Amino acid sequence: MQTQSTTLVVIGGGPGGYIAAIRAAQLGIATILVEGDQLGGTCLNIGCIPSKALIHAAEEFEKASHYAQGSSLGIQVSSPSINITQTVSWKDGIVKRLTGGVGALLKKNGAQVVKGWANIIDGKTVAVMQDGKEITRITCQHLLIASGSTAVELPFMPFGDKVISSTEALAPTEIPKKLVVVGGGYIGLELGITYRKLGAEVCVVESLDRILPVYDEELTKVVKTALKQLGIEVQLGVTVQGMNATNTAVRVKNAAGEESEITCDKVLVAVGRRPRTQGFGLESLMLDMNGRAIKIDDQCRTSMRDVWAIGDVAGEPMLAHRAMAQGEMVAEIIAGKRRHFIPAAIPAVCFTDPEIVVVGLSPAEAQANGTEIISAMFPFAANGRAMTLEANEGFVRVVARKDNHRILGWQAVGKSVSELSAAFGLSLEMGATLEDVAGTIHSHPTLGEAVQEAALRALGHALHI
Ligand code: FAD
Ligand code: NAD
């Protein structure tokens, strides 16, 4: 068995861990990243990237199917079909390119990668295991835990056979005739819509009385209408009880206590993810916890000196860009820079069709803080570019302080609005006012003009509505 000594050990090569390792190496910190599976973590291998690839493929296929039924655009297509094996291998190609790129970046910057499962011995020692054998023991000054999260399993409906998690849903060998999706959150709706567009009948079962409970209802209403138009059945306020005796249907119970069965070929369970804190000796550090997540301060320090935690293992919001931003910050703090994790906002995007983006405070959140606000929305129905894209649904909404017009938040729902998140985030980080956005020339014709018009409308003088 080898032994090594370094300044920083990073456990986990997901977006949090690999960014931390790259930045630390750039800053001249001797860094070893330990990854037991594939570099890129959940995000690149079984999360953000493969899901967005399948979403795109499904969208293209649905477009072709739609045109086959006749199109006012004059496009004629006959009997489109999809070879799902080829689609999955195209998606795998993108994943491979990106994960290979992560490996190359780590190498280029001088971070060492050790393949194997890290087992924490103490706050300064990690044993790396391969096939149950310790291959190396590393001592370090700083230990960064970036072990991510895993899908929550329902105890009465464990993963296996017909019951799948997002991981299996992202690598289909065939499209099920009927899919039941348990959970109307991010994964349930992004993948539920994807499977519907790929030809499956889809029924979403959500225990709360609304879909996407993290977003405000004005935004989700637009998605709800789209689900209906797509032919996706949504059952709200319904709890799942398990599979029936013949394993052919999901048993559900509604709020009135009435039980029924929904037949299906597959069940995608997407009821959340939980921080990965068990099975690698983390418990032995006895760190302070925040529920199931490792408790951290605004520098991502845990309760043990020089032990840090970032990303999903440190709890909500479990988003890749948050993990990356924390990773970059921790590397800089270890290098001696003064940094704190106090972003003006962490954008959140749901890649449904239409997409939802929120950055900063909603009107209700701002008011709950006791702030007097101005809020205005501009509908895509009044935006020329949206019309040319056949994307009239949705709107952009701005929230600003009433006294000095400083922007507190943006929300949008509509086709491709995820791309507006950059402008939204920038305006919040730079402390922009409504006048700043209203006075910025936005190119025409773009969906972004709706951003300027929302600001103009909040000031009382929108031009196109
Ligand atoms: P992870 O990416 O989970 O990486 C952790 C890594 O640590 C893994 O590679 C794991 O193998 C490794 N590891 C764990 N324990 C050990 C150990 N003991 N030794 C060695 N290695 C270990 N977020 C977005 O922002 N946008 C999206 O569009 C989006 N889409 C998603 C879609 C799906 C289907 C899923 C499941 C998630 C999605 N997410 C999305 C969430 C995003 O993937 C996570 O927030 C992000 O990956 C968290 O990064 P992380 O570095 O904290 O952990
Ligand atoms: P989620 O928290 O987004 O949604 C889970 C949904 O399941 C909720 O609406 C919840 O009310 C419902 N639910 C919980 N238990 C249930 C039960 N027993 N029966 C029926 N419904 C139940 O979780 P997710 O969709 O699994 O995604 C996990 C995390 O991954 C997200 O929270 C997010 O952090 C991340 N993610 C992000 C993106 C993105 O950024 N676009 C995409 C996918 C995943």
Side-chain angles (χ1 to χ4, degrees):
M1 184 195 62
Q2 244 191 321
T3 54
Q4 294 180 77
S5 174
T6 190
T7 307
L8 170 65
V9 165
V10 180
I11 298 180
Y18 84 70
I19 287 290
I22 288 175
R23 186 68 187 125
Q26 282 176 349
L27 290 163
I29 298 167
T31 302
I32 297 178
L33 184 151
V34 185
E35 171 55 61
D37 200 341
Q38 298 294 326
L39 287 174
T42 302
C43 175
L44 264 55
N45 293 286
I46 50 166
C48 327
I49 296 296
S51 62
K52 272 69 225 179
L54 271 201
I55 287 170
H56 173 68
E59 228 162 63
E60 295 301 299
F61 178 57
E62 196 246 353
K63 242 187 238 171
S65 311
H66 177 73
Y67 291 145
Q69 289 159 22
S71 150
S72 47
L73 276 66
I75 299 169
Q76 290 173 14
V77 174
S78 59
S79 332
S81 65
I82 185 161
N83 177 336
I84 197 68
T85 309
Q86 200 176 330
T87 311
V88 170
S89 94
W90 164 77
K91 177 233 25 169
D92 289 343
I94 295 171
V95 169
K96 202 165 164 208
R97 260 204 320 277
L98 287 171
T99 53
V102 167
L105 286 170
L106 285 160
K107 193 167 175 194
K108 181 183 127 191
N109 287 287
Q112 188 190 339
V113 176
V114 172
K115 187 138 181 64
W117 293 101
N119 193 31
I120 297 172
I121 306 294
D122 60 41
K124 300 218 176 291
T125 318
V126 163
V128 184
M129 317 294 290
Q130 257 181 25
D131 302 323
K133 275 219 235 51
E134 184 172 337
I135 54 157
T136 185
R137 187 165 285 218
I138 313 168
T139 55
C140 57
Q141 285 171 38
H142 296 271
L143 178 62
L144 172 56
I145 303 160
S147 51
S149 62
T150 53
V152 169
E153 196 169 33
L154 295 173
F156 48 85
M157 236 170 139
F159 295 127
D161 191 19
K162 285 191 174 175
V163 182
I164 58 173
S165 72
S166 53
T167 303
E168 294 76 40
L170 289 171
T173 49
E174 58 181 352
I175 298 304
K177 199 168 160 341
K178 176 134 193 199
L179 175 73
V180 169
V181 177
V182 183
Y186 275 101
I187 295 176
L189 291 189
E190 287 186 5
L191 295 186
I193 290 174
T194 302
Y195 270 73
R196 176 70 193 131
K197 289 182 175 178
L198 290 172
E201 278 176 57
V202 174
C203 174
V204 177
V205 178
E206 164 63 50
S207 56
L208 298 179
D209 60 0
R210 47 180 297 231
I211 54 164
L212 292 171
V214 289
Y215 294 105
D216 75 62
E217 212 154 357
E218 246 185 300
L219 296 164
T220 57
K221 213 164 60 186
V222 183
V223 175
K224 202 172 165 194
T225 307
L227 293 177
K228 201 166 176 189
Q229 280 162 357
L230 265 174
I232 295 180
E233 186 190 347
V234 180
Q235 295 199 14
L236 299 173
V238 164
T239 53
V240 221
Q241 309 293 302
M243 296 301 287
N244 68 355
T246 52
N247 208 28
T248 51
V250 178
R251 290 184 296 114
V252 295
K253 195 194 262 186
N254 68 14
E258 295 154 353
E259 288 202 18
S260 59
E261 291 190 354
I262 315 170
T263 55
C264 59
D265 306 299
K266 288 267 184 225
V267 187
L268 166 60
V269 175
V271 295
R273 293 182 64 82
R274 96 169 27 124
R276 184 170 349 194
T277 54
Q278 285 170 346
F280 60 102
L282 180 71
E283 303 89 336
S284 67
L285 299 184
M286 294 174 64
L287 300 178
D288 286 355
M289 303 297 284
N290 183 6
R292 288 177 175 276
I294 299 177
K295 188 172 176 187
I296 52 168
D297 67 8
D298 68 0
Q299 291 190 307
C300 295
R301 293 178 193 272
T302 68
S303 54
M304 184 178 276
R305 193 183 162 88
D306 294 338
V307 176
W308 313 72
I310 57 171
D312 286 9
V313 76
E316 298 284 350
M318 295 196 192
L319 299 172
H321 41 281
R322 178 243 196 184
M324 290 194 243
Q326 290 179 324
E328 193 238 6
M329 180 196 71
V330 169
E332 296 209 340
I333 296 172
I334 292 173
K337 293 182 192 277
R338 285 170 65 88
R339 293 282 309 271
H340 290 269
F341 193 72
I342 35 172
I346 301 175
V349 174
C350 191
F351 292 85
T352 38
D353 179 12
E355 296 173 347
I356 296 180
V357 51
V358 304
V359 185
L361 301 179
S362 68
E365 285 163 344
Q367 279 160 336
N369 289 346
T371 313
E372 266 202 276
I373 59 156
I374 323 178
S375 173
M377 60 89 109
F378 187 84
F380 285 117
N383 173 280
R385 178 64 174 152
M387 276 179 219
T388 65
L389 293 171
E390 301 178 281
N392 299 5
E393 297 305 318
F395 59 86
V396 175
R397 185 171 64 197
V398 65
V399 183
R401 289 180 68 96
K402 193 169 178 192
D403 52 2
N404 58 10
H405 293 179
R406 189 152 169 177
I407 296 171
L408 299 171
W410 292 99
Q411 300 83 41
V413 55
K415 199 128 203 124
S416 307
V417 292
S418 54
E419 294 301 332
L420 298 179
S421 69
F424 292 167
L426 204 58
S427 76
L428 285 187
E429 282 297 341
M430 297 192 72
T433 60
L434 291 170
E435 286 80 355
D436 290 328
V437 176
T440 301
I441 297 177
H442 284 65
S443 43
H444 176 75
T446 60
L447 297 177
E449 286 172 284
V451 176
Q452 184 184 17
E453 286 282 2
L456 281 166
R457 201 171 187 196
L459 292 169
H461 49 93
L463 295 165
H464 287 92
I465 197 163

